[in-house]
Tab-separated table of all heavy atoms in Angstrom:
chain	number	residue	atom	x	y	z
A	1	ASN	N	5.210	4.162	26.775
A	1	ASN	CA	5.913	2.955	27.227
A	1	ASN	C	4.944	1.776	27.244
A	1	ASN	O	4.574	1.250	28.294
A	1	ASN	CB	6.520	3.182	28.614
A	1	ASN	CG	7.371	2.002	29.068
A	1	ASN	OD1	7.858	1.223	28.242
A	1	ASN	ND2	7.540	1.859	30.371
A	2	ASN	N	4.492	1.394	26.043
A	2	ASN	CA	3.513	0.325	25.911
A	2	ASN	C	3.897	-0.565	24.739
A	2	ASN	O	4.149	-0.069	23.629
A	2	ASN	CB	2.110	0.917	25.686
A	2	ASN	CG	1.032	-0.143	25.663
A	2	ASN	OD1	0.881	-0.880	24.700
A	2	ASN	ND2	0.264	-0.215	26.745
A	3	PHE	N	3.939	-1.861	24.984
A	3	PHE	CA	4.373	-2.805	23.953
A	3	PHE	C	3.503	-2.717	22.697
A	3	PHE	O	4.005	-2.824	21.570
A	3	PHE	CB	4.353	-4.228	24.515
A	3	PHE	CG	4.767	-5.275	23.519
A	3	PHE	CD1	6.102	-5.455	23.188
A	3	PHE	CD2	3.823	-6.091	22.909
A	3	PHE	CE1	6.484	-6.419	22.265
A	3	PHE	CE2	4.190	-7.056	21.989
A	3	PHE	CZ	5.529	-7.219	21.670
A	4	GLY	N	2.203	-2.516	22.881
A	4	GLY	CA	1.299	-2.493	21.728
A	4	GLY	C	1.619	-1.407	20.725
A	4	GLY	O	1.384	-1.569	19.518
A	5	LEU	N	2.187	-0.281	21.198
A	5	LEU	CA	2.504	0.824	20.299
A	5	LEU	C	3.717	0.553	19.424
A	5	LEU	O	3.993	1.300	18.491
A	5	LEU	CB	2.724	2.111	21.106
A	5	LEU	CG	1.486	2.680	21.806
A	5	LEU	CD1	1.847	3.929	22.591
A	5	LEU	CD2	0.380	2.993	20.802
A	6	LEU	N	4.455	-0.535	19.714
A	6	LEU	CA	5.578	-0.896	18.850
A	6	LEU	C	5.114	-1.289	17.453
A	6	LEU	O	5.914	-1.326	16.516
A	6	LEU	CB	6.368	-2.058	19.468
A	6	LEU	CG	7.389	-1.699	20.548
A	6	LEU	CD1	8.006	-2.964	21.119
A	6	LEU	CD2	8.475	-0.800	19.981
A	7	ALA	N	3.831	-1.574	17.313
A	7	ALA	CA	3.308	-1.899	15.978
A	7	ALA	C	3.436	-0.699	15.034
A	7	ALA	O	3.562	-0.872	13.822
A	7	ALA	CB	1.846	-2.329	16.085
A	8	ILE	N	3.417	0.521	15.580
A	8	ILE	CA	3.443	1.720	14.739
A	8	ILE	C	4.695	1.787	13.862
A	8	ILE	O	4.581	1.901	12.629
A	8	ILE	CB	3.289	2.992	15.607
A	8	ILE	CG1	1.865	3.046	16.168
A	8	ILE	CG2	3.595	4.251	14.806
A	8	ILE	CD1	1.629	4.201	17.131
A	9	PRO	N	5.917	1.729	14.439
A	9	PRO	CA	7.085	1.819	13.549
A	9	PRO	C	7.192	0.673	12.552
A	9	PRO	O	7.652	0.867	11.422
A	9	PRO	CB	8.276	1.813	14.524
A	9	PRO	CG	7.754	1.270	15.791
A	9	PRO	CD	6.319	1.683	15.852
A	10	PHE	N	6.732	-0.528	12.924
A	10	PHE	CA	6.847	-1.656	12.003
A	10	PHE	C	5.854	-1.551	10.847
A	10	PHE	O	6.184	-1.877	9.708
A	10	PHE	CB	6.669	-2.978	12.760
A	10	PHE	CG	7.810	-3.302	13.670
A	10	PHE	CD1	7.622	-3.420	15.037
A	10	PHE	CD2	9.090	-3.465	13.171
A	10	PHE	CE1	8.679	-3.698	15.883
A	10	PHE	CE2	10.161	-3.752	14.000
A	10	PHE	CZ	9.956	-3.863	15.365
A	11	PHE	N	4.636	-1.075	11.128
A	11	PHE	CA	3.686	-0.853	10.040
A	11	PHE	C	4.170	0.284	9.135
A	11	PHE	O	4.002	0.231	7.914
A	11	PHE	CB	2.295	-0.527	10.588
A	11	PHE	CG	1.508	-1.740	10.986
A	11	PHE	CD1	0.929	-1.843	12.244
A	11	PHE	CD2	1.337	-2.795	10.110
A	11	PHE	CE1	0.204	-2.960	12.616
A	11	PHE	CE2	0.607	-3.922	10.470
A	11	PHE	CZ	0.042	-4.003	11.728
A	12	MET	N	4.758	1.308	9.732
A	12	MET	CA	5.291	2.404	8.922
A	12	MET	C	6.462	1.931	8.066
A	12	MET	O	6.608	2.354	6.915
A	12	MET	CB	5.720	3.554	9.830
A	12	MET	CG	4.564	4.327	10.397
A	12	MET	SD	5.095	5.833	11.218
A	12	MET	CE	3.511	6.635	11.461
A	13	LEU	N	7.290	1.072	8.625
A	13	LEU	CA	8.399	0.507	7.851
A	13	LEU	C	7.862	-0.298	6.673
A	13	LEU	O	8.385	-0.207	5.554
A	13	LEU	CB	9.258	-0.379	8.754
A	13	LEU	CG	10.444	-1.093	8.089
A	13	LEU	CD1	11.412	-0.092	7.481
A	13	LEU	CD2	11.155	-1.996	9.093
A	14	THR	N	6.802	-1.066	6.912
A	14	THR	CA	6.168	-1.829	5.835
A	14	THR	C	5.702	-0.902	4.717
A	14	THR	O	5.949	-1.153	3.533
A	14	THR	CB	4.973	-2.640	6.378
A	14	THR	OG1	5.422	-3.513	7.404
A	14	THR	CG2	4.302	-3.437	5.273
A	15	GLY	N	5.032	0.194	5.089
A	15	GLY	CA	4.557	1.139	4.092
A	15	GLY	C	5.683	1.797	3.319
A	15	GLY	O	5.588	1.978	2.099
A	16	ALA	N	6.769	2.150	4.021
A	16	ALA	CA	7.910	2.797	3.350
A	16	ALA	C	8.584	1.843	2.365
A	16	ALA	O	8.994	2.247	1.272
A	16	ALA	CB	8.913	3.273	4.399
A	17	ILE	N	8.694	0.570	2.738
A	17	ILE	CA	9.295	-0.424	1.839
A	17	ILE	C	8.415	-0.632	0.608
A	17	ILE	O	8.905	-0.711	-0.518
A	17	ILE	CB	9.526	-1.760	2.574
A	17	ILE	CG1	10.563	-1.573	3.686
A	17	ILE	CG2	9.988	-2.850	1.607
A	17	ILE	CD1	10.675	-2.756	4.626
A	18	MET	N	7.100	-0.700	0.817
A	18	MET	CA	6.176	-0.869	-0.304
A	18	MET	C	6.268	0.304	-1.273
A	18	MET	O	6.265	0.120	-2.491
A	18	MET	CB	4.744	-1.016	0.217
A	18	MET	CG	4.476	-2.327	0.946
A	18	MET	SD	2.809	-2.411	1.659
A	18	MET	CE	1.804	-2.521	0.180
A	19	GLU	N	6.373	1.509	-0.723
A	19	GLU	CA	6.455	2.695	-1.584
A	19	GLU	C	7.768	2.719	-2.346
A	19	GLU	O	7.796	2.965	-3.561
A	19	GLU	CB	6.315	3.958	-0.728
A	19	GLU	CG	6.286	5.240	-1.544
A	19	GLU	CD	6.101	6.473	-0.688
A	19	GLU	OE1	5.762	6.332	0.499
A	19	GLU	OE2	6.319	7.581	-1.215
A	20	ALA	N	8.878	2.457	-1.651
A	20	ALA	CA	10.188	2.479	-2.306
A	20	ALA	C	10.332	1.353	-3.320
A	20	ALA	O	11.018	1.502	-4.333
A	20	ALA	CB	11.300	2.371	-1.257
A	21	GLY	N	9.670	0.227	-3.056
A	21	GLY	CA	9.759	-0.920	-3.950
A	21	GLY	C	8.805	-0.870	-5.132
A	21	GLY	O	8.695	-1.850	-5.883
A	22	GLY	N	8.102	0.231	-5.305
A	22	GLY	CA	7.207	0.378	-6.446
A	22	GLY	C	5.948	-0.458	-6.368
A	22	GLY	O	5.301	-0.719	-7.385
A	23	VAL	N	5.578	-0.857	-5.154
A	23	VAL	CA	4.379	-1.690	-4.994
A	23	VAL	C	3.132	-0.918	-5.393
A	23	VAL	O	2.191	-1.489	-5.968
A	23	VAL	CB	4.277	-2.193	-3.536
A	23	VAL	CG1	2.958	-2.922	-3.304
A	23	VAL	CG2	5.447	-3.121	-3.219
A	24	SER	N	3.104	0.392	-5.109
A	24	SER	CA	1.923	1.186	-5.449
A	24	SER	C	1.667	1.182	-6.955
A	24	SER	O	0.516	1.214	-7.401
A	24	SER	CB	2.091	2.624	-4.946
A	24	SER	OG	3.240	3.219	-5.506
A	25	VAL	N	2.732	1.129	-7.754
A	25	VAL	CA	2.573	1.095	-9.216
A	25	VAL	C	1.872	-0.189	-9.646
A	25	VAL	O	0.982	-0.171	-10.508
A	25	VAL	CB	3.944	1.221	-9.910
A	25	VAL	CG1	3.803	1.057	-11.416
A	25	VAL	CG2	4.589	2.558	-9.578
A	26	ARG	N	2.251	-1.307	-9.048
A	26	ARG	CA	1.613	-2.589	-9.375
A	26	ARG	C	0.139	-2.590	-8.962
A	26	ARG	O	-0.713	-3.144	-9.665
A	26	ARG	CB	2.350	-3.740	-8.692
A	26	ARG	CG	3.751	-3.983	-9.270
A	26	ARG	CD	4.506	-5.043	-8.482
A	26	ARG	NE	5.819	-5.266	-9.078
A	26	ARG	CZ	6.074	-6.200	-9.989
A	26	ARG	NH1	5.107	-6.999	-10.393
A	26	ARG	NH2	7.280	-6.346	-10.498
A	27	ILE	N	-0.137	-1.975	-7.828
A	27	ILE	CA	-1.527	-1.888	-7.373
A	27	ILE	C	-2.343	-1.031	-8.337
A	27	ILE	O	-3.490	-1.360	-8.665
A	27	ILE	CB	-1.573	-1.324	-5.939
A	27	ILE	CG1	-1.016	-2.364	-4.950
A	27	ILE	CG2	-3.001	-0.943	-5.553
A	27	ILE	CD1	-0.899	-1.855	-3.522
A	28	ILE	N	-1.766	0.076	-8.809
A	28	ILE	CA	-2.467	0.944	-9.769
A	28	ILE	C	-2.719	0.192	-11.080
A	28	ILE	O	-3.802	0.286	-11.667
A	28	ILE	CB	-1.656	2.232	-10.013
A	28	ILE	CG1	-1.681	3.117	-8.766
A	28	ILE	CG2	-2.199	2.993	-11.221
A	28	ILE	CD1	-0.748	4.306	-8.830
A	29	GLU	N	-1.730	-0.580	-11.554
A	29	GLU	CA	-1.898	-1.349	-12.793
A	29	GLU	C	-3.010	-2.384	-12.652
A	29	GLU	O	-3.826	-2.566	-13.565
A	29	GLU	CB	-0.576	-2.037	-13.149
A	29	GLU	CG	0.501	-1.076	-13.641
A	29	GLU	CD	1.839	-1.759	-13.853
A	29	GLU	OE1	1.954	-2.962	-13.498
A	29	GLU	OE2	2.771	-1.110	-14.381
A	30	PHE	N	-3.065	-3.052	-11.508
A	30	PHE	CA	-4.134	-4.035	-11.279
A	30	PHE	C	-5.490	-3.338	-11.207
A	30	PHE	O	-6.481	-3.810	-11.792
A	30	PHE	CB	-3.862	-4.813	-9.989
A	30	PHE	CG	-5.012	-5.683	-9.557
A	30	PHE	CD1	-5.428	-6.754	-10.347
A	30	PHE	CD2	-5.682	-5.433	-8.375
A	30	PHE	CE1	-6.497	-7.554	-9.955
A	30	PHE	CE2	-6.742	-6.230	-7.977
A	30	PHE	CZ	-7.153	-7.285	-8.770
A	31	SER	N	-5.545	-2.204	-10.519
A	31	SER	CA	-6.801	-1.454	-10.412
A	31	SER	C	-7.274	-0.990	-11.781
A	31	SER	O	-8.471	-1.014	-12.076
A	31	SER	CB	-6.605	-0.248	-9.484
A	31	SER	OG	-6.168	-0.645	-8.205
A	32	GLN	N	-6.336	-0.597	-12.629
A	32	GLN	CA	-6.696	-0.147	-13.972
A	32	GLN	C	-7.277	-1.292	-14.793
A	32	GLN	O	-8.274	-1.122	-15.510
A	32	GLN	CB	-5.467	0.427	-14.665
A	32	GLN	CG	-5.735	0.966	-16.062
A	32	GLN	CD	-4.571	1.784	-16.593
A	32	GLN	OE1	-4.021	2.619	-15.887
A	32	GLN	NE2	-4.199	1.537	-17.842
A	33	ALA	N	-6.664	-2.472	-14.700
A	33	ALA	CA	-7.193	-3.634	-15.429
A	33	ALA	C	-8.549	-4.061	-14.879
A	33	ALA	O	-9.390	-4.583	-15.607
A	33	ALA	CB	-6.196	-4.793	-15.337
A	34	LEU	N	-8.773	-3.818	-13.581
A	34	LEU	CA	-10.012	-4.255	-12.933
A	34	LEU	C	-11.185	-3.347	-13.272
A	34	LEU	O	-12.274	-3.827	-13.620
A	34	LEU	CB	-9.788	-4.298	-11.415
A	34	LEU	CG	-10.922	-4.857	-10.550
A	34	LEU	CD1	-11.122	-6.341	-10.835
A	34	LEU	CD2	-10.613	-4.631	-9.070
A	35	VAL	N	-11.006	-2.028	-13.179
A	35	VAL	CA	-12.145	-1.109	-13.339
A	35	VAL	C	-11.910	-0.055	-14.416
A	35	VAL	O	-12.753	0.823	-14.612
A	35	VAL	CB	-12.460	-0.405	-11.993
A	35	VAL	CG1	-12.919	-1.400	-10.962
A	35	VAL	CG2	-11.247	0.384	-11.489
A	36	GLY	N	-10.784	-0.122	-15.126
A	36	GLY	CA	-10.467	0.894	-16.118
A	36	GLY	C	-11.387	0.899	-17.325
A	36	GLY	O	-11.419	1.875	-18.077
A	37	SER	N	-12.140	-0.169	-17.530
A	37	SER	CA	-13.009	-0.246	-18.706
A	37	SER	C	-14.369	0.415	-18.486
A	37	SER	O	-15.152	0.562	-19.414
A	37	SER	CB	-13.227	-1.716	-19.091
A	37	SER	OG	-13.831	-2.428	-18.020
A	38	VAL	N	-14.664	0.821	-17.251
A	38	VAL	CA	-15.940	1.473	-16.942
A	38	VAL	C	-15.843	2.949	-17.310
A	38	VAL	O	-14.760	3.538	-17.303
A	38	VAL	CB	-16.262	1.313	-15.438
A	38	VAL	CG1	-17.625	1.913	-15.101
A	38	VAL	CG2	-16.204	-0.157	-15.039
A	39	ARG	N	-16.968	3.554	-17.639
A	39	ARG	CA	-16.988	4.986	-17.951
A	39	ARG	C	-16.362	5.762	-16.797
A	39	ARG	O	-16.725	5.555	-15.640
A	39	ARG	CB	-18.437	5.442	-18.181
A	39	ARG	CG	-18.632	6.938	-18.368
A	39	ARG	CD	-18.002	7.404	-19.680
A	39	ARG	NE	-18.791	6.976	-20.813
A	39	ARG	CZ	-19.772	7.689	-21.359
A	39	ARG	NH1	-20.078	8.875	-20.870
A	39	ARG	NH2	-20.425	7.222	-22.400
A	40	GLY	N	-15.450	6.688	-17.115
A	40	GLY	CA	-14.711	7.396	-16.075
A	40	GLY	C	-13.686	6.497	-15.406
A	40	GLY	O	-13.401	6.633	-14.225
A	41	GLY	N	-13.120	5.585	-16.203
A	41	GLY	CA	-12.285	4.514	-15.661
A	41	GLY	C	-11.121	4.969	-14.816
A	41	GLY	O	-10.841	4.374	-13.771
A	42	ILE	N	-10.423	6.033	-15.229
A	42	ILE	CA	-9.232	6.421	-14.470
A	42	ILE	C	-9.607	6.956	-13.083
A	42	ILE	O	-8.854	6.816	-12.113
A	42	ILE	CB	-8.383	7.449	-15.242
A	42	ILE	CG1	-6.988	7.537	-14.605
A	42	ILE	CG2	-9.058	8.808	-15.311
A	42	ILE	CD1	-5.975	8.254	-15.462
């Protein structure tokens, strides 16, 4: 029963929306363009 712990469900909701919205795919594509050219890029 603490107001500060209400951050937990909202941060989890943020993560679930990002995952469902394909945000992780965009992050992977950016990461690949950023460091994919180095040996062992993937």
